[in-house]
Amino acid sequence: PHPKQPDLEDGPMTEHMIMAEAVAELLIDKGVFSAGEMREMLELIDSKSPAEGAAMVARAWTDPDFKTRMLADVNAAAAEMDIDAGTIPIRVVENTPDMHNVIVCTLCSCYPRLLIGLPPDWYKSRSYRSRVVREPRAVLAEFGTVIGDDVEVRVHDSTADLRYMVLPMRPEGTEGLDQDALAALVTRDSMIGVSVLKSHHPE
């Protein structure tokens, strides 16, 4: 039998849902933007994939000056590549042999959507949001990512005013690959920090 999908309206409107709807209606009424422009922005956000974030990672791996600028200002670095990262500041945190970073939003699901697409369901789950700040190594191990005891694990909590993105380490054996080939290796989960990119040996 085909399961019935509950309608969104079947559940009670939360305080935040009511506030978001009221603010949107107010901004449309005041002419800050139109209903059509709001729909277009939501459509743009929904259509995003991790590809643009991956392209930035690949360029950072191959262009040290760009990497420096990206570490200083992700939004400005994205604009250099004609990528719209939005107006909310994004900070990139770099994985190194001594440091592994992972991102979370403990309150909801704040996330650099314009760079790496919609957040996965597990990122929005209460279990991930509450546990990764308390026991990050255990949570990472559940993703198949075992971090050595000699590596520091740092958790970054995104907010409405600041988002994070991980710059994963470049895998070994990729020295001969161009930026497009490197970008194809970068995954959404590696830019969240729950996975590590594996070594790749070109044929």
Side-chain angles (χ1 to χ4, degrees), residues 60-80:
W61 285 342
T62 58
D63 183 341
D65 290 337
F66 177 80
K67 176 181 169 182
T68 298
R69 295 193 298 274
M70 183 174 167
L71 289 169
D73 189 333
V74 175
N75 303 67
E80 288 184 38

Side-chain angles (χ1 to χ4, degrees), residues 133-149:
V133 293
R134 291 184 288 105
E135 46 180 3
R137 292 177 188 273
V139 173
L140 290 173
E142 291 169 13
F143 282 93
T145 303
V146 178
I147 304 298
D149 291 339

